Each structure stands twice: as structure tokens, then as C-alpha cells.
Amino acid sequence: LNIQFIEGMVNYVKGTDGVKRHPEEDYKSAKYPEWLPTWDPTETFPAQPENKGFVDRGLFADPTYSNLFSNDSKFERIDLTPNFGTEVRSVQLSQLNNSAKDELALLLAERGVVVFRNQDLQDKGLEFNKQFGEYFGPLHIHSFSGAPEKYPQFHIVHRSPDDKVNPKKVTSLHTDVNWEVQTPGVTIFAILEGPSTGGDTLFVDSQTVYERLSPRFKKLLEGLSAVHSNVIASNVNGNGFLRTPPAANSHPLVRIHPVTQKKAIYFSYKFTEELEGLDREESELILGFLRQRILAQPDLHLRARWELGTVVLWDNRRCLHTPILDFEGSARHCYRITTLAETPVEKFEDLEDHVKELSLKLQERLNISN
Ligand SMILES: [Fe+2]
């Protein structure tokens, strides 16, 4: 017996196996039916433990990018702003060898966002994509978003033409799933179906936002930790379905990147609740100032435009992002692979010893190549 129920504007169907899926006709009309979101109540996982020993692949990279941008390929590299965001053409992600993937991780640490055009990654299937992501770190499992069956590691974004979208949510700038203990680094987002215009992703360079603060203000932020939580989101969006228990964790408000040794503001407009050890009003004063600073510096913003075949990668440690919700009436179907990096730390000395060692060696190679 199938039980029909409505979530948003879309009808989902609960099968006899308890798995919630799109109705049959959606599987017939979808361009990528195996990527439609499903919710399997038997897929539950314990709270994510701290996983010590993470080493960023960017630490092993050749800083001359001799594999990713080899002399015999016809690649084009277009920097989207002077310090933040790069578009790459004529490089196929699915063909990269491990050395090129290491250089991609370095490029992401340095540029924050990299847009690839005309990709075939989305045609390579679930298992290939999973393994592609796993190269960069363990994959995050989202507590309540839809995922392809048997692949809870993918976060599916799916809107039908009759789904309501609320453009007022445009300022929900965030860094993904920052309530976890070990938070995301390299993040891969690919489009399967989408509107011819609209649905851009807005990115903000949270590293330069930090660097532009005065030395006295940086001093004020030193040692502050922010509490990030998905407890409310789990209750509102989970609808009773949760793969992992709701989580709240605090992380330094300023975190250092192990690859570049540069610091960035680390918080979300939506999932960051307060700064520890301050009165609510004091906490709001600082977070409110940072929210305002971020929006007031458009030279640190970029909009990634989506076309079929586009894959955008970003490093969740050094930028914020938000979807632009201006595509009501169109279908949009995307997937995200979220790889977990180190547990955030503020100071270089707080990184794990072997990471510090590799990071210093990379800096030597960077100095030689510059
Ligand atoms: Fe996001």
C-alpha cells in the first residue's frame, strides 16, 4: 500500500520498503532519474566522530600546476576576479590523474572557487562520482537532504517547475554543514538539469574579508569561537527523517587554511547561533558587523553561472555562498559531493604536526616556483 503525502509542492510516494521517492512519472521524465532524491529511513548513522589525521591533498601539489595545466593541453584559465575565483575550460575533471587532483586541491585553496565548463562527470554515474570525491577526503552524509538510493553521500538539490522558491532567502550566505566536528573542504557541485538563466550561485571571499580588518579588530576576534547548529533546521526540514542526530559544535570564528596558511572568517548567516563567552548583544554586534561587511564589499563577490555541463568546486574553508533563488517555474536538479577536511583551528601551531611539516614544505616549493 503506497501512502501519498505532500512536501512543499511535490508529491512523494512512500514505498512498501518505507523509502520515500518521487512518483513514477518523475522517473520517466527526469534526464537523470538515478540522481533523483530519495529518503531511506533505514539509513541511519551515528553522530560524526572527530577524524584526526586528515591531510589535505593540496599539500602534495606541484605549485607549477604541471599536471592540471600541462603544456600539451589546450586549457584556458580565466581568473574571474583578481584574487578569488577561476574558470577553467578544456580540462576534463573525470580524466584527471592523482597529481592533477592534488593541484586542483591547491588551486581551490588559493582561488576559493573553480568553475569547470563542458564536463562529463555528471554522466559517469554514482559510483564514479563517489570515488572522485573520496580522493579529497571522507564524504559527508547529510542528515536530512534527499540522496540517490544506496548513496547517502550525495546531497541532492531538486526543484520541480511548480515548487515555490523564495527570493528573499538570497542572503543566507553560509559555509556548508559547519555544525559538524570535522567540516568540509573541497566541495563539488554539478548540474544535471536547470533553467537557461537564473539559479546562479553567489560566492564571497571570506579570506579577504578577514585580511581587510584592522590589526586591532583582528586582535578582538582572536580566540573567539562561534556555535554552529543544525538542531532547528533538522526539526523544520527533516520532517521526522534524520540520517544522523542533530548536531551543534563550536569552531574558531577565524580559521587557518593548512595549505595556504591564510586565515578566513568562518561562520554562516543561518547556522551560526552565537559567539561563546559573550553576552547575546555583544555576540550579535560582532556577527552583525561581519554580515554587513561581507555584503558591503562586492569586489569580493562572484556569481557562478550554470549551464549544462558546468561543475563548480569550492573550498568551504575560505568562502561563503548562497543560491540565487530567481528561477521559479523551472526544473533544477543538481548534486553536491562534500568532502570533510580538518577540524577547524585558528593558529598554525594548532594544526597537527605532520600537517604543519607538509605545509612548510609546500611553502618552500611555492617560494621556489614564484
Ligand atoms: Fe550550500
Side-chain angles (χ1 to χ4, degrees):
L1 182 77
N2 286 347
I3 304 158
Q4 285 262 4
F5 59 100
I6 307 252
E7 189 182 87
M9 294 292 286
V10 181
N11 287 306
Y12 292 113
V13 183
K14 195 186 264 186
T16 46
D17 52 3
V19 179
K20 212 166 83 172
R21 299 177 181 88
H22 273 247
E24 205 46 50
E25 56 266 30
D26 289 1
Y27 281 84
K28 288 185 189 128
S29 61
K31 274 178 73 183
Y32 290 85
E34 75 278 20
W35 287 95
L36 281 170
T38 67
W39 291 262
D40 181 348
T42 64
E43 265 175 354
T44 56
F45 302 87
Q48 181 210 310
E50 181 165 20
N51 180 7
K52 289 274 185 191
F54 172 77
V55 180
D56 196 300
R57 291 309 312 175
L59 292 168
F60 302 99
D62 168 4
T64 66
Y65 295 108
S66 62
N67 296 281
L68 185 60
F69 302 131
S70 67
N71 285 334
D72 55 343
S73 83
K74 292 192 187 82
F75 73 91
E76 277 183 84
R77 178 187 162 161
I78 305 143
D79 286 340
L80 298 170
T81 77
N83 299 314
F84 181 55
T86 294
E87 181 164 327
V88 176
R89 295 187 195 149
S90 300
V91 170
Q92 200 59 255
L93 286 166
S94 65
Q95 304 296 319
L96 298 183
N97 62 27
N98 289 349
S99 304
K101 285 180 197 162
D102 292 347
E103 291 165 19
L104 174 59
L106 175 62
L107 186 66
L108 281 163
E110 290 193 319
R111 304 291 305 171
V113 182
V114 186
V115 178
F116 286 86
R117 303 291 184 192
N118 300 314
Q119 297 300 299
D120 62 8
L121 195 63
Q122 69 284 0
D123 296 315
K124 296 283 182 187
L126 296 159
E127 190 55 38
F128 185 95
N129 274 268
K130 179 171 166 259
Q131 287 175 19
F132 182 82
E134 278 170 342
Y135 184 76
F136 299 97
L139 303 187
H140 179 255
I141 292 175
H142 201 280
S143 53
F144 52 79
S145 68
E149 285 194 76
K150 311 292 175 217
Y151 285 91
Q153 303 86 355
F154 293 107
H155 168 78
I156 302 295
V157 174
H158 184 275
R159 304 264 186 182
S160 298
D162 44 4
D163 279 348
K164 290 268 167 259
V165 294
N166 178 6
K168 285 185 187 171
K169 284 171 79 182
V170 75
T171 52
S172 308
L173 282 160
H174 63 279
T175 175
D176 289 315
V177 303
N178 57 343
W179 53 79
E180 303 288 13
V181 180
Q182 199 188 345
T183 64
V186 172
T187 306
I188 304 151
F189 201 92
I191 190 155
L192 300 164
E193 275 188 74
S196 55
T197 181
D200 289 0
T201 305
L202 172 70
F203 290 94
V204 183
D205 175 0
S206 52
Q207 179 179 292
T208 310
V209 168
Y210 174 75
E211 285 169 356
R212 284 183 181 173
L213 298 171
S214 68
R216 282 298 287 265
F217 200 81
K218 283 182 185 156
K219 200 88 194 144
L220 181 73
L221 301 189
E222 216 178 279
L224 286 177
S225 289
V227 180
H228 315 286
S229 164
N230 79 338
V231 174
I232 294 171
S234 297
N235 289 336
V236 174
N237 300 329
N239 250 335
F241 173 88
L242 291 178
R243 288 187 196 89
T244 54
N249 280 291
S250 75
H251 294 303
L253 179 60
V254 175
R255 77 181 290 180
I256 192 160
H257 198 296
V259 173
T260 58
Q261 301 183 11
K262 290 183 175 162
K263 290 180 176 178
I265 297 288
Y266 190 67
F267 84 127
S268 285
Y269 284 43
K270 213 160 51 172
F271 302 111
T272 299
E273 297 192 331
E274 60 180 350
L275 297 172
E276 279 185 332
L278 299 184
D279 287 345
R280 195 81 196 181
E281 292 81 0
E282 294 167 342
S283 170
E284 257 318 293
L285 192 74
I286 294 174
L287 292 177
F289 166 76
L290 291 173
R291 289 185 205 111
Q292 183 272 332
R293 283 311 295 148
I294 284 165
L295 286 174
Q297 300 184 87
D299 63 314
L300 305 183
H301 299 182
L302 72 84
R303 278 175 71 146
R305 193 179 56 80
W306 295 93
E307 55 192 47
L308 293 181
T310 298
V311 177
V312 178
L313 292 92
W314 65 89
D315 189 324
N316 256 305
R317 290 166 286 187
R318 73 168 300 318
C319 62
L320 302 180
H321 64 278
T322 182
I324 308 268
L325 301 174
D326 57 356
F327 54 90
E328 195 162 288
S330 301
R332 190 167 181 267
H333 190 187
C334 315
Y335 64 91
R336 187 180 83 200
I337 310 171
T338 316
T339 79
L340 295 170
E342 75 283 352
T343 300
V345 298
E346 181 172 354
K347 295 187 172 131
F348 183 75
E349 66 224 49
D350 296 333
L351 290 166
E352 291 183 61
D353 287 342
H354 61 295
V355 172
K356 278 189 276 200
E357 225 171 274
L358 287 165
S359 182
L360 291 169
K361 279 188 191 148
L362 173 67
Q363 289 305 317
E364 276 172 31
R365 298 205 297 284
L366 277 162
N367 289 337
I368 294 165
S369 75
N370 282 339

